[in-house]
Amino acid sequence: MRKMLAALSRLLQGTAASRPGAVSEVARVVVASRNYADFANEATFEIKKYDLHRLEEGPPTTAVLTREQGLQYYKTMQTIRRMELKADQLYKQKIIRGFCHLYDGQEACCVGLEAAINRTDHLITAYRAHGFTYTRGIPVREILAELTGRIGGCAKGKGGSMHMYAKNFYGGNGIVGAQVPLGAGIALACKYFGNDEICVTLYGDGAANQGQIFETFNMAALWKLPCIFICENNRYGMGTSVERAAASTDYYKRGDFIPGLRVDGMDVLAVREATKFAAGHCRAGKGPIVMELQTYRYHGHSMSDPGVSYRTREEIQEVRSKSDPITLLKDRMVNNNLASVEELKEIDVEVRKQIEDAAQFATTDPEPPLEELGNYIYNKEPPFEVRGPNQWTRYKSVG
């Protein structure tokens, strides 16, 4: 690298004498080469201390971030952020209809989780599901096409915002808290087959007060199921703050006899390290564990909620300025020489183009024809007559 820089330096001197207009381009190459050569391969960061319940020790309070990991996390979080902002725009243009719950502000949760588990592990969540759909492997264009109800969507335009699926990803569930017992069932299957897989089961602070969650905790503890129960506490269940909705806001202690930990959900590294710890707990046969991720949503609960009647604009702006997960990662990387500002800006430009291309597909792809309304009701089942979808037409399902 030193020889290359020396050669470029000599070239720069020669070019200055012969072609002054080419100096800036050569200088840019020299600077870029020097920056690339000087980037650190990794850096170690302090993490906010975890709150523990029924645990003698918790995850480490330091985390190593490699340059490659940092660039990957940054690009994934930016993609989710831009995808959600595009969904907001399409909804306001009435191209997306129906229910739509956006995830911007909470990107560190899904990116940190995915960085700590295997793709063969299982994940189930509630209706704020776009981010997890992406991290589970579904392209942006299929997610946006699903939102717009097009045949190229990941559920062929039939699921919409709340019902998206991928391999080892079970949604996207619209009924508050109903995914939690389903997640325990998936964990039971993992234990039954003995394949060293776990299930990550997510719910919100609003759903945390549902009775079925406590019933699920009881069964999971009795049967020692390999399940990480994760409460994404974004501080508001619909329009009600956690303090007004819950006598105890220590959601990580809600499992009572199940160990728990509370995590800074705006820090992708804290989420990653906590999830590694929790996954190790489950794989070791110790049964379930509860994690509370303290996070924040920038938009309202859904698109019908402006999000400013029960909280102030100043509160939202304060979180954006002090705790934004993307800004936090960006500052860490730049300040520790893992990346340059210009390099991250190039990623931003690339992500914006990807989102625009996906939106173009999602607004021009055809809608599914009416005669396909009854198709794919069951997987691997023979076709059958479908009654009731339309009072004038009889449909036959296609498996």
Side-chain angles (χ1 to χ4, degrees):
M1 181 59 72
R2 288 194 185 94
K3 291 181 180 178
M4 185 180 78
L5 290 173
L8 283 170
S9 179
R10 289 193 298 272
L11 175 63
L12 178 60
Q13 293 171 0
T15 305
S18 59
R19 288 192 301 127
V23 171
S24 60
E25 177 62 22
V26 177
R28 186 190 66 79
V29 173
V30 171
V31 171
S33 300
R34 185 181 298 121
N35 285 343
Y36 186 81
D38 292 343
F39 281 140
N41 290 324
E42 62 180 40
T44 302
F45 299 96
E46 297 290 326
I47 292 174
K48 180 180 176 183
K49 185 179 178 181
Y50 303 95
D51 296 316
L52 305 179
H53 171 66
R54 287 184 177 266
L55 289 168
E56 293 183 3
E57 61 178 349
T61 53
T62 60
V64 175
L65 177 69
T66 67
R67 169 176 155 79
E68 183 180 1
Q69 289 170 340
L71 293 173
Q72 178 192 342
Y73 300 163
Y74 181 83
K75 183 176 181 180
T76 305
M77 287 201 287
Q78 275 288 28
T79 301
I80 295 169
R81 175 72 56 87
R82 291 290 166 185
M83 178 176 69
E84 295 298 65
L85 293 178
K86 177 57 68 173
D88 174 64
Q89 179 186 345
L90 294 174
Y91 198 97
K92 288 171 179 173
Q93 294 172 350
K94 298 187 176 180
I95 297 173
I96 296 174
R97 309 302 291 266
F99 291 104
C100 184
H101 304 79
L102 301 181
Y103 201 70
D104 50 319
Q106 300 182 210
E107 296 90 351
C109 296
C110 62
V111 175
L113 281 169
E114 290 286 10
I117 62 174
N118 304 323
R119 190 50 66 91
T120 52
D121 290 323
H122 308 266
L123 192 146
I124 186 168
T125 188
Y127 38 73
R128 204 176 303 280
H130 308 162
F132 285 105
T133 307
Y134 178 70
T135 59
R136 286 270 100 182
I138 299 296
V140 175
R141 59 190 273 138
E142 291 186 24
I143 296 172
L144 289 181
E146 188 59 38
L147 289 172
T148 57
R150 308 303 172 114
I151 200 166
C154 56
K156 301 186 184 298
K158 299 178 182 181
S161 173
M162 296 199 292
H163 303 285
M164 298 184 178
Y165 308 91
K167 185 173 178 57
N168 297 330
F169 175 58
Y170 306 84
N173 290 266
I175 300 174
V176 176
Q179 73 279 5
V180 178
L182 297 179
I186 297 166
L188 176 61
C190 293
K191 183 173 183 179
Y192 180 84
F193 289 116
N195 49 21
D196 199 36
E197 295 172 1
I198 63 172
C199 182
V200 177
T201 302
L202 296 110
Y203 56 96
D205 51 275
N209 299 317
Q210 289 279 327
Q212 58 192 322
I213 290 180
F214 296 94
E215 296 176 36
T216 304
F217 283 171
N218 184 57
M219 297 174 73
L222 282 172
W223 297 343
K224 291 191 177 299
L225 300 183
C227 189
I228 308 176
F229 295 105
I230 297 182
C231 176
E232 288 184 290
N233 177 9
N234 59 27
R235 294 168 49 177
Y236 297 94
M238 295 188 75
T240 307
S241 67
V242 292
E243 293 81 10
R244 293 179 58 214
S248 170
T249 57
D250 292 333
Y251 296 103
Y252 70 109
K253 295 181 180 179
R254 290 285 194 92
D256 189 9
F257 36 77
I258 299 176
L261 62 158
R262 183 158 56 192
V263 183
D264 180 3
M266 304 299 271
D267 180 353
V268 67
L269 296 182
V271 176
R272 185 190 72 182
E273 296 305 309
T275 308
K276 284 181 181 177
F277 175 86
H281 177 96
C282 291
R283 295 192 210 277
K286 297 178 181 178
I289 190 168
V290 176
M291 275 173 53
E292 175 189 345
L293 303 182
Q294 292 185 311
T295 185
Y296 198 83
R297 55 172 165 80
Y298 292 158
H299 272 86
H301 173 74
S302 65
M303 295 305 296
S304 60
D305 169 24
V308 292
S309 59
Y310 50 85
R311 60 182 184 178
T312 64
R313 295 183 188 276
E314 289 74 22
E315 176 186 303
I316 302 169
Q317 189 55 42
E318 183 179 15
V319 175
R320 282 183 179 274
S321 61
K322 294 182 179 180
S323 305
D324 183 81
I326 298 176
T327 303
L328 176 61
L329 178 63
K330 177 181 178 180
D331 290 346
R332 278 175 164 171
M333 293 183 68
V334 172
N335 294 339
N336 289 271
N337 202 31
L338 291 174
S340 66
V341 173
E342 292 74 20
E343 186 177 20
L344 298 179
K345 283 182 179 178
E346 288 178 5
I347 293 176
D348 295 346
V349 171
E350 179 187 348
V351 167
R352 285 193 182 96
K353 184 181 186 307
Q354 177 191 5
I355 299 300
E356 289 302 323
D357 290 346
Q360 177 67 20
F361 172 74
T363 52
T364 56
D365 193 51
E367 296 180 355
L370 189 62
E371 56 269 19
E372 291 192 7
L373 183 62
N375 291 359
Y376 309 107
I377 293 177
Y378 293 107
N379 185 31
K380 298 178 181 177
E381 292 288 337
F384 60 95
E385 298 293 336
V386 181
R387 296 192 304 163
N390 186 297
Q391 59 181 320
W392 296 285
T393 310
R394 294 179 67 197
Y395 292 98
K396 191 177 184 67
S397 71
V398 176

